[in-house]
Amino acid sequence: MCRWLHLIFNIIIQLALGIPLEMVHKWWRVGLVYLVGVVAGSLGSSISDPSTFLAGASGGVYAIMAAHLANVILNWGEMEFAWVRAIALGFVAISDVANAIVERYQGKTNRISYAAHIAGALAGLLIGARVLRNLRVYRWEDILAWVFFSIFGMLAGCAVLWNTLYPSYFPAQQCPPYNTAST
């Protein structure tokens, strides 16, 4: 049951935050942030939690949430109630990640990868600052966006290298044998 609630939460967040972001920043920018978040979530999970399986869209959802936070930071002066948005996003993200961690370590069968949440959120913040539109550009915001983009590039490069160079780190997955016999 918890997995269904998690998937429903992902869909609600995609609709509640993704559509407003698309209306301001265009669909391709939000789509890029979402896809980068999915890949980053997968890479983060493979390094810090390789025994879990990923299904759903948590990395992309958290990338959209964090990109919304990047949008609030970059457009703080141009937004109404920016602090309310920042607090609401932080509350939702922290409560969901805390719930995933608690359920994971209470011995339940739920194996949701919280590492995918965190990596997706980090990617959304770092990429969102560069990809999303900044309504009034200040020099410090442009520098910050490029620093964030560089940090993301270094982290993603390290994650890809880790996955490529250390295959012995990952547990062997036990897959059921493929039966080619016809019935």
Side-chain angles (χ1 to χ4, degrees):
M1 182 63 179
C2 185
R3 285 181 228 150
W4 285 106
L5 289 176
H6 190 74
L7 289 173
I8 291 169
F9 173 80
N10 284 347
I11 292 168
I12 290 170
I13 293 296
Q14 286 179 31
L15 294 173
L17 295 180
I19 291 173
L21 275 179
E22 284 184 4
M23 291 171 61
V24 174
H25 301 283
K26 305 296 181 211
W27 67 269
W28 65 270
R29 294 174 190 263
V30 177
L32 181 62
V33 169
Y34 182 84
L35 290 175
V36 167
V38 168
V39 171
S42 177
L43 286 171
S45 180
S46 71
I47 290 172
S48 67
D49 203 7
S51 63
T52 60
F53 294 106
L54 296 179
S58 294
V61 167
Y62 273 79
I64 287 176
M65 288 173 62
H68 205 61
L69 181 61
N71 179 43
V72 169
I73 292 168
L74 292 178
N75 296 307
W76 187 273
E78 294 79 37
M79 270 188 194
E80 293 182 15
F81 305 110
W83 61 274
V84 174
R85 294 178 190 207
I87 290 171
L89 285 168
F91 176 75
V92 170
I94 290 170
S95 63
D96 190 53
V97 170
N99 181 47
I101 291 171
V102 167
E103 285 189 5
R104 173 73 182 275
Y105 293 111
Q106 280 185 342
K108 294 184 179 182
T109 58
N110 183 2
R111 300 285 296 170
I112 294 173
S113 174
Y114 62 87
H117 294 82
I118 295 169
L122 186 61
L125 180 65
L126 298 176
I127 290 295
R130 179 77 264 153
V131 172
L132 297 180
R133 291 179 46 222
N134 191 349
L135 301 177
R136 185 181 300 159
V137 181
Y138 296 102
R139 180 155 171 74
W140 71 268
E141 292 172 334
D142 196 39
I143 292 169
L144 181 68
W146 280 111
V147 168
F148 279 6
F149 188 76
S150 300
I151 291 170
F152 174 77
M154 288 186 288
L155 290 173
C158 289
V160 168
L161 285 175
W162 183 273
N163 277 281
T164 305
L165 299 176
Y166 298 109
S168 61
Y169 172 75
F170 305 104
Q173 299 296 330
Q174 298 296 323
C175 297
Y178 183 68
N179 187 356
T180 59
S182 59
T183 56

